[in-house]
Amino acid sequence: MSGLFSTMNVAVRGMTAQQMAIDVTSHNIANANTDGYSRQRTLMETTTPFGMPSMNNAVGPGQLGTGVQVSSITRIRDTYLDYQVRAENGTMGLYQGREKFLTEVQSIFNEVSETGVSNMLSEVFKSWSALSTSPESSNTRTVVAQKSKALTDQLNSTYNQLSKLKINCQDVIQKDVTDINGMLDQINDLNQQVISVKVGGNEPNDLMDKRDLLVDQLSSKFGITIDKKALAGEDLKATDNVGGADPTKDLYFVKSDPTKDVSRFSYVSTIVPSKGSIQKPGETGSYDVTYYKNGDTSTDANKVTMTMQLSDMEYTSLDQGRVLWADKEGYAIDASSNRINGIDSNSKAIPQSGTKTNTDATWGNIKRFEPKTGEINGYQSVQTDIDTYINDLNNMAKAIAYSVNAVHSGNQADTAGELKFFVNSTTAGKEEEITAGNIAVNGEIIKDVMLIKVGKGDTPLPTDGSRALAISKLRDVKLNIQSIGAKTTRAMLLSGDTFSQDTTLGVKMVNATSDGMTIIGDFTNITNRLADKTQYAKNTVINNTKLLAGLEESRTSISGVSLDEEMANLVQIQHAYAANAKIISTVDELLDLIVNGLKK
């Protein structure tokens, strides 16, 4: 029934609701600059009115309201915009990672300076041309030796810097693995807290904001898929994975049910030939693969070693990928969450987990994490590029050594006892194992430049410059460089009529192939391809930056805090609060009139 006390209760409810609205507005204003914060709104609803149908309820003029109550405090969030931002975060992470390292590769090649490889190649051929005009001069011979040494030193330096850059890239992957596992643990903890608060009947808005912020950060590392569950819980897994049979259908990183298995990542630190194996790194054979649980390399207690057979392609894939699926404790697993057999740092076999069984370490069993997007993919794919550039440099170094050595010695194949101009600087190095990292000018020639063969004869003096001229002409000779591989020999490159007697010069000369490239042209092709890839990565980053900025602006317009709007809301709430207070004051006066007026 209605009355003054009922009216006072309505006003009290109104003040209480408006007070809560003031608290929410104050919270919004306080977090106006907080990353990941979503503005909150107080949703109000009328309380149950008087005059609800019942046996004792007399017919009256209508239901009489009893005031207002806060039904919930909700955050304003657009899940579709979240999805778009996270998808673009993956693309941005991919190309930012690629741009970072490809730009460094460009700086290593250093082609804009006078010490670039292509400029030094030109200088070497010019020095041979100059030597052909003054074949008996020790000065011109010294110039040839020194220019050639400068070239090989630059190739050695480029090779070593690229190799170090690849190691740096792998170090970044290791750090990413550690960071990702840490974020997944935080997301999992927040997920359980969100569910607990929901069970209690409250809205965990701030907890969900923190979870969403971490998910946003995680989405830049690799593509993610989120399955919404009851009580605002979330199950999180990778969008895709190309490392072997796809395990992403059943392997989750975060589960709403805390009793379910979740996955993490581990980092492969080394891949070395097993003891007693005779293959070189990268060749087919048995390897000891060492990984660190959860990517934590701070202690050897996390180190586990598996022994497995790898082909050359499998070795390359694992070397460039480096990330393994693991269980929550960090042990490598297969698609069924079975642990892979291995030996820990104490030379003990890894333990089994629950009802799961351990499986053998084979290429088919281990699950590599090779996503199609995100930073991880960027760093993995750029290693492929670096390996390609190293291989291209190796092929070019072989082409230089084989062609010059062939003309210098007059032999189509590597012949015992011949005086090679370019050699493999490693101990007992073979010519067919020459790379950009070990190519060098023969030490005997550096000591005595008069050993350089310049003319038709084998004796240093007197002589003509025909052989030196033939070597200088190699600048314009097209060689089948693209067909060179790790096992290619000089005889294989210069097979058939590719190497024959030149009737004009009177010495054996390398002949051009119809589908080949010049040595300088080959290097120019390498740098052009690098420039194209780098520019594409830069352009994609620029475009995605603009796209992400637009998406973030749209998301902020919905979820962000507008101080002007909040101040306007505060004024409105303040007036409502004051009006409710005035009602209480009015009721107080009326009650005073009734109570005290009856005494008169």
Side-chain angles (χ1 to χ4, degrees), residues 128 131 141 407-410 418-419 421 445 449-455 457-460 463-464 467-468 471:
W128 280 103
L131 178 58
R141 290 168 181 258
V407 177
H408 188 263
S409 65
E418 72 175 19
L419 180 66
F421 188 86
I445 290 176
V449 295
M450 301 309 292
L451 293 176
I452 297 176
K453 295 182 178 181
V454 182
D458 293 334
T459 57
T463 186
D464 61 89
R467 195 179 299 272
I471 293 177

Side-chain angles (χ1 to χ4, degrees), residues 86-100 176 219-222 373-379 541 544 548:
R86 289 162 187 168
E88 293 305 322
N89 277 343
T91 303
M92 177 66 85
L94 164 61
Y95 285 100
Q96 278 184 329
R98 287 186 57 77
E99 180 197 13
K100 173 183 176 182
D176 261 3
S219 66
S220 69
K221 306 295 184 182
F222 58 90
T373 187
E375 280 185 20
I376 294 294
N377 176 263
Y379 297 141
V541 169
N544 268 73
L548 265 175

Side-chain angles (χ1 to χ4, degrees), residues 114-127:
E114 294 183 357
T115 58
V117 172
S118 59
N119 185 68
M120 299 181 80
L121 276 168
S122 296
E123 290 298 315
V124 168
F125 289 122
K126 286 180 183 178
S127 68

Side-chain angles (χ1 to χ4, degrees), residues 385 387-397 481 522 525-526 529:
D385 294 315
D387 282 343
T388 298
Y389 297 133
I390 290 176
N391 185 64
D392 289 342
L393 280 178
N394 291 341
N395 294 345
M396 189 185 74
I481 301 176
D522 177 63
N525 181 55
I526 295 172
R529 285 189 286 110

